[in-house]
Coordinates of all heavy atoms in Angstrom, one line a residue:
V1 N 0.8 -1.2 0.0 CA 0.0 0.1 0.0 C 0.9 1.3 0.0 O 0.6 2.2 -0.6 CB -0.9 0.0 1.1 CG1 -1.6 1.4 1.4 CG2 -2.0 -1.0 1.1
A2 N 2.0 1.3 0.7 CA 2.8 2.4 0.8 C 3.7 2.7 -0.4 O 3.9 3.9 -0.7 CB 3.8 2.2 2.0
R3 N 4.1 1.6 -1.2 CA 4.9 1.9 -2.3 C 4.4 1.0 -3.6 O 5.1 0.2 -4.1 CB 6.3 1.5 -2.0 CG 6.9 2.0 -0.9 CD 8.3 2.3 -1.0 NE 8.9 3.0 0.1 CZ 9.6 4.0 0.0 NH1 9.9 4.5 -1.2 NH2 10.1 4.6 1.0
P4 N 3.2 1.4 -4.1 CA 2.6 0.6 -5.2 C 3.4 0.8 -6.5 O 3.6 -0.2 -7.3 CB 1.3 1.1 -5.3 CG 1.3 2.4 -4.8 CD 2.3 2.5 -3.7
G5 N 4.0 2.0 -6.7 CA 4.8 2.3 -8.0 C 6.0 1.4 -7.9 O 6.4 0.7 -9.1
R6 N 6.7 1.3 -6.8 CA 8.0 0.5 -6.7 C 7.7 -0.9 -7.0 O 8.5 -1.7 -7.8 CB 8.6 0.7 -5.4 CG 9.9 0.1 -5.1 CD 10.5 0.5 -3.8 NE 11.7 -0.2 -3.6 CZ 12.3 -0.2 -2.5 NH1 12.0 0.6 -1.5 NH2 13.5 -0.9 -2.3
V7 N 6.6 -1.5 -6.4 CA 6.3 -2.8 -6.5 C 5.9 -3.2 -7.9 O 6.3 -4.3 -8.5 CB 5.2 -3.2 -5.5 CG1 4.7 -4.6 -5.7 CG2 5.6 -3.1 -4.1
S8 N 5.1 -2.3 -8.6 CA 4.7 -2.5 -10.0 C 5.8 -2.6 -11.0 O 5.9 -3.4 -11.8 CB 3.8 -1.4 -10.5 OG 2.5 -1.4 -9.7
K9 N 6.9 -1.6 -10.6 CA 8.0 -1.7 -11.5 C 8.9 -3.0 -11.2 O 9.4 -3.5 -12.2 CB 8.9 -0.3 -11.2 CG 10.0 -0.2 -12.1 CD 10.7 1.2 -11.7 CE 11.7 1.6 -12.8 NZ 12.3 2.8 -12.5
A10 N 9.0 -3.4 -10.1 CA 9.7 -4.6 -9.8 C 9.1 -5.8 -10.4 O 9.7 -6.7 -11.0 CB 9.9 -4.8 -8.2
L11 N 7.7 -5.8 -10.4 CA 7.0 -6.9 -11.0 C 7.2 -6.9 -12.6 O 7.5 -7.9 -13.2 CB 5.5 -6.9 -10.6 CG 5.1 -7.3 -9.3 CD1 3.7 -7.0 -9.0 CD2 5.4 -8.8 -9.1
M12 N 7.1 -5.8 -13.2 CA 7.3 -5.7 -14.6 C 8.8 -6.1 -15.0 O 9.0 -6.7 -15.9 CB 7.1 -4.1 -15.0 CG 7.4 -4.1 -16.5 SD 7.0 -2.3 -17.0 CE 8.5 -1.5 -16.5
T13 N 9.8 -5.7 -14.2 CA 11.1 -6.1 -14.4 C 11.3 -7.6 -14.3 O 11.9 -8.4 -15.2 CB 12.2 -5.5 -13.5 OG1 12.0 -4.1 -13.6 CG2 13.5 -5.9 -13.7
F14 N 10.6 -8.2 -13.3 CA 10.7 -9.7 -13.1 C 10.1 -10.5 -14.2 O 10.7 -11.3 -14.8 CB 10.0 -10.0 -11.8 CG 10.0 -11.4 -11.5 CD1 11.1 -12.3 -11.1 CD2 8.8 -12.2 -11.6 CE1 11.0 -13.5 -10.8 CE2 8.8 -13.6 -11.4 CZ 9.9 -14.2 -11.1
Y15 N 8.8 -10.1 -14.6 CA 8.2 -10.9 -15.6 C 8.6 -10.5 -17.0 O 8.4 -11.4 -17.9 CB 6.6 -10.6 -15.6 CG 6.0 -11.3 -14.4 CD1 5.5 -10.7 -13.3 CD2 6.0 -12.7 -14.5 CE1 4.9 -11.3 -12.3 CE2 5.4 -13.5 -13.5 CZ 4.9 -12.8 -12.4 OH 4.3 -13.5 -11.3
S16 N 9.3 -9.4 -17.2 CA 9.9 -9.2 -18.6 C 11.0 -10.1 -19.0 O 11.2 -10.1 -20.2 CB 10.4 -7.7 -18.7 OG 11.5 -7.5 -17.9
K17 N 11.5 -10.8 -18.1 CA 12.5 -11.9 -18.5 C 12.1 -13.1 -18.9 O 12.8 -13.9 -19.5 CB 13.5 -12.0 -17.3 CG 14.1 -10.7 -16.8 CD 15.0 -10.9 -15.6 CE 15.5 -9.5 -15.3 NZ 16.2 -9.5 -14.0
Y18 N 10.8 -13.5 -19.0 CA 10.2 -14.6 -19.4 C 10.0 -14.6 -21.0 O 9.6 -13.4 -21.5 CB 8.8 -14.9 -18.9 CG 9.0 -15.4 -17.4 CD1 8.7 -14.6 -16.4 CD2 9.2 -16.8 -17.1 CE1 8.9 -15.0 -15.1 CE2 9.3 -17.2 -15.8 CZ 9.2 -16.3 -14.8 OH 9.3 -16.8 -13.6
P19 N 10.4 -15.6 -21.7 CA 10.4 -15.5 -23.2 C 9.0 -15.2 -23.8 O 8.9 -14.4 -24.7 CB 10.8 -16.9 -23.6 CG 11.5 -17.4 -22.4 CD 11.0 -16.8 -21.2
L20 N 8.0 -15.7 -23.3 CA 6.6 -15.5 -23.9 C 6.1 -14.2 -23.5 O 5.4 -13.5 -24.3 CB 5.6 -16.5 -23.4 CG 5.7 -18.0 -24.0 CD1 4.8 -18.9 -23.3 CD2 5.6 -18.0 -25.4
V21 N 6.5 -13.5 -22.5 CA 6.1 -12.2 -22.2 C 6.8 -11.2 -23.1 O 6.2 -10.0 -23.3 CB 6.3 -12.0 -20.7 CG1 6.0 -10.6 -20.3 CG2 5.7 -12.9 -19.7
R22 N 7.9 -11.4 -23.6 CA 8.5 -10.5 -24.6 C 7.5 -10.2 -25.7 O 7.8 -9.0 -26.3 CB 9.8 -11.1 -25.1 CG 10.8 -11.2 -23.9 CD 12.2 -11.6 -24.5 NE 13.1 -12.1 -23.4 CZ 13.9 -13.0 -23.5 NH1 14.0 -13.7 -24.6 NH2 14.7 -13.2 -22.5
Y23 N 6.7 -10.9 -26.1 CA 5.8 -10.8 -27.2 C 4.6 -9.9 -26.9 O 3.9 -9.4 -27.6 CB 5.4 -12.0 -27.8 CG 6.3 -12.9 -28.4 CD1 6.7 -14.1 -27.9 CD2 7.1 -12.4 -29.5 CE1 7.8 -14.9 -28.3 CE2 8.2 -13.2 -30.0 CZ 8.5 -14.3 -29.5 OH 9.5 -15.1 -30.0
A24 N 4.5 -9.7 -25.5 CA 3.4 -8.9 -25.1 C 3.7 -7.4 -25.3 O 4.9 -7.0 -25.4 CB 3.1 -9.0 -23.5
G25 N 2.6 -6.6 -25.5 CA 2.8 -5.2 -25.6 C 3.3 -4.5 -24.3 O 3.2 -5.1 -23.3
E26 N 3.8 -3.3 -24.5 CA 4.4 -2.6 -23.3 C 3.3 -2.3 -22.4 O 3.5 -2.4 -21.2 CB 4.8 -1.3 -23.8 CG 6.3 -0.9 -23.6 CD 7.2 -1.7 -22.7 OE1 7.9 -2.6 -23.2 OE2 7.2 -1.4 -21.5
R27 N 2.1 -2.1 -22.7 CA 0.9 -1.7 -21.9 C 0.5 -2.8 -21.0 O 0.0 -2.8 -19.9 CB -0.2 -1.1 -22.8 CG -1.3 -0.7 -21.8 CD -2.2 0.4 -22.7 NE -3.5 0.5 -22.0 CZ -3.8 1.3 -20.9 NH1 -2.7 1.8 -20.4 NH2 -5.0 1.4 -20.5
Q28 N 0.6 -4.1 -21.6 CA 0.3 -5.3 -20.9 C 1.2 -5.6 -19.7 O 0.7 -6.3 -18.7 CB 0.2 -6.5 -21.9 CG -0.9 -6.5 -22.8 CD -1.0 -7.7 -23.6 OE1 0.1 -8.2 -24.1 NE2 -2.2 -8.0 -24.0
L29 N 2.3 -5.1 -19.8 CA 3.3 -5.4 -18.7 C 3.3 -4.4 -17.6 O 3.9 -4.6 -16.5 CB 4.8 -5.5 -19.2 CG 5.2 -6.8 -19.8 CD1 6.7 -6.7 -20.3 CD2 5.0 -7.9 -18.8
T30 N 2.7 -3.3 -17.8 CA 2.8 -2.3 -16.7 C 1.8 -2.6 -15.6 O 0.5 -3.1 -15.8 CB 2.3 -0.8 -17.3 OG1 1.0 -1.0 -17.8 CG2 3.2 -0.3 -18.3
G31 N 2.3 -2.5 -14.4 CA 1.5 -2.9 -13.3 C 0.5 -1.7 -12.9 O 0.9 -0.6 -13.0
R32 N -0.7 -2.0 -12.6 CA -1.5 -1.0 -12.1 C -1.5 -0.7 -10.7 O -1.5 -1.7 -10.0 CB -3.1 -1.4 -12.5 CG -3.3 -1.8 -13.9 CD -3.1 -0.6 -14.9 NE -3.5 -0.9 -16.2 CZ -2.8 -1.6 -17.1 NH1 -1.6 -2.0 -16.9 NH2 -3.3 -1.8 -18.4
N33 N -1.2 0.5 -10.4 CA -1.1 0.8 -8.9 C -2.3 0.4 -8.1 O -2.1 0.1 -6.9 CB -0.7 2.3 -8.7 CG 0.7 2.5 -9.2 OD1 1.5 1.7 -9.5 ND2 1.0 3.8 -9.4
A34 N -3.4 0.6 -8.7 CA -4.6 0.3 -7.9 C -4.8 -1.1 -7.6 O -5.3 -1.4 -6.5 CB -5.9 0.8 -8.7
F35 N -4.3 -2.0 -8.5 CA -4.3 -3.4 -8.3 C -3.4 -3.8 -7.1 O -3.7 -4.7 -6.3 CB -4.0 -4.2 -9.4 CG -5.0 -4.2 -10.5 CD1 -4.7 -4.2 -11.9 CD2 -6.4 -4.1 -10.2 CE1 -5.8 -4.1 -12.8 CE2 -7.5 -4.0 -11.1 CZ -7.1 -4.0 -12.5
V36 N -2.2 -3.2 -7.1 CA -1.2 -3.5 -6.0 C -1.7 -3.0 -4.8 O -1.5 -3.7 -3.8 CB 0.2 -2.7 -6.4 CG1 1.1 -2.8 -5.3 CG2 0.7 -3.4 -7.7
V37 N -2.3 -1.7 -4.7 CA -2.9 -1.3 -3.5 C -4.0 -2.1 -2.9 O -4.2 -2.5 -1.8 CB -3.4 0.2 -3.6 CG1 -4.3 0.6 -2.5 CG2 -2.3 1.1 -3.8
A38 N -4.9 -2.7 -4.0 CA -5.9 -3.6 -3.6 C -5.4 -4.9 -2.9 O -5.9 -5.4 -1.9 CB -6.8 -3.8 -4.8
L39 N -4.3 -5.4 -3.5 CA -3.7 -6.6 -3.0 C -3.2 -6.3 -1.6 O -3.2 -7.2 -0.7 CB -2.6 -7.1 -4.0 CG -1.8 -8.3 -3.5 CD1 -2.7 -9.6 -3.4 CD2 -0.8 -8.6 -4.4
G40 N -2.5 -5.2 -1.5 CA -2.1 -4.8 -0.1 C -3.1 -4.7 0.9 O -2.9 -5.3 2.1
I41 N -4.3 -4.1 0.7 CA -5.4 -4.0 1.5 C -6.0 -5.4 1.9 O -6.2 -5.7 3.0 CB -6.5 -3.1 0.9 CG1 -6.0 -1.7 0.8 CG2 -7.8 -3.2 1.7 CD1 -6.9 -0.8 0.1
V42 N -6.0 -6.4 0.9 CA -6.4 -7.7 1.1 C -5.5 -8.4 2.0 O -5.9 -9.1 2.9 CB -6.6 -8.5 -0.2 CG1 -6.8 -10.0 0.0 CG2 -7.9 -8.0 -1.0
L43 N -4.2 -8.1 1.8 CA -3.2 -8.9 2.7 C -3.3 -8.3 4.1 O -3.2 -9.1 5.1 CB -1.8 -8.6 2.2 CG -1.4 -9.5 1.0 CD1 0.0 -9.2 0.5 CD2 -1.6 -10.9 1.2
I44 N -3.5 -7.1 4.3 CA -3.7 -6.4 5.7 C -4.9 -7.0 6.3 O -4.8 -7.3 7.5 CB -3.7 -4.9 5.6 CG1 -2.4 -4.3 5.1 CG2 -4.2 -4.3 6.9 CD1 -2.5 -2.9 4.7
V45 N -6.0 -7.0 5.6 CA -7.3 -7.6 6.2 C -7.1 -9.0 6.7 O -7.4 -9.5 7.7 CB -8.4 -7.3 5.3 CG1 -9.6 -8.1 5.7 CG2 -8.8 -5.9 5.2
T46 N -6.5 -9.8 5.7 CA -6.2 -11.3 6.0 C -5.4 -11.4 7.1 O -5.6 -12.3 8.0 CB -5.6 -11.9 4.8 OG1 -6.5 -11.8 3.6 CG2 -5.4 -13.4 4.9

């Protein structure tokens, strides 16, 4: 929740190294900050 941009960038860097993901468009690899924040809220509640 505190650093969604940093987490999104790290996920994009991690997944960009897979061969099949290289064929995906740039927009498909960008992490949405709202999804990262939502995942963080779910983890906090859990």
Side-chain angles (χ1 to χ4, degrees):
V1 170
R3 303 213 180 231
R6 183 175 175 186
V7 173
S8 296
K9 191 173 187 179
L11 287 172
M12 184 179 74
T13 303
F14 175 77
Y15 282 114
S16 67
K17 296 176 183 171
Y18 285 99
L20 288 177
V21 176
R22 291 185 193 143
Y23 297 113
E26 235 356 90
R27 183 158 164 78
Q28 288 180 325
L29 274 181
T30 57
R32 306 298 191 274
N33 288 346
F35 292 145
V36 175
V37 169
L39 177 61
I41 291 170
V42 167
L43 287 175
I44 291 170
V45 170
T46 303

